[in-house]
């Protein structure tokens, strides 16, 4: 099972419109989903663009990597920086 990383463009638009800073990076491993402000990838990663065959969430571009522990991959920021 691969880990998939997507950017939630709807959340980016909502943050801009509502002057918020909610996490927009979605990391999915099986049924476990985590949203982050940033993450670090250890090892190989493939970036995929498939406009005619998107993921179930609608993402047409995503990163995919072998299954590392999700806790190593995704780290929430204690105090996210405001853009």
């Amino acid at each position: 099972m691969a880990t998939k990383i997507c950017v939630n463009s709807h959340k980016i638009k909502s943050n801009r419109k509502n002057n918020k800073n909610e996490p927009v990076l979605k990391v999915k491993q099986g049924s476990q989903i985590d949203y982050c402000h940033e993450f670090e990838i250890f090892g190989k990663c493939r970036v995929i663009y498939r406009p005619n065959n998107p993921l179930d969430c609608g993402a047409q571009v995503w990163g995919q990597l072998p299954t590392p522990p999700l806790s190593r991959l995704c780290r929430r920021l204690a105090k996210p920086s405001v853009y």
Side-chain angles (χ1 to χ4, degrees):
M1 174 183 328
T3 299
K4 294 184 174 86
I5 302 165
C6 305
V7 178
N8 186 330
S9 62
H10 299 289
K11 185 57 72 177
I12 291 172
K13 292 173 188 173
S14 174
N15 281 345
R16 188 179 303 130
K17 179 180 178 181
N18 299 306
N19 198 27
K20 291 187 176 183
N21 189 17
E22 295 181 10
V24 300
L25 303 173
K26 176 180 160 183
V27 179
K28 182 176 181 185
Q29 184 178 28
S31 61
Q32 183 177 355
I33 298 173
D34 198 5
Y35 282 87
C36 307
H37 282 90
E38 72 176 45
F39 57 85
E40 187 172 353
I41 297 172
F42 299 99
K44 296 180 180 181
C45 177
R46 175 189 297 165
V47 178
I48 301 165
Y49 172 57
R50 290 192 189 148
N52 298 326
N53 189 16
L55 296 178
D56 292 341
C57 64
Q60 296 179 19
V61 178
W62 65 91
Q64 186 167 309
L65 50 148
T67 309
L70 194 58
S71 60
R72 278 188 64 198
L73 177 73
C74 191
R75 173 181 49 128
R76 291 183 184 273
L77 292 176
K79 293 183 179 179
S81 58
V82 176
Y83 52 93

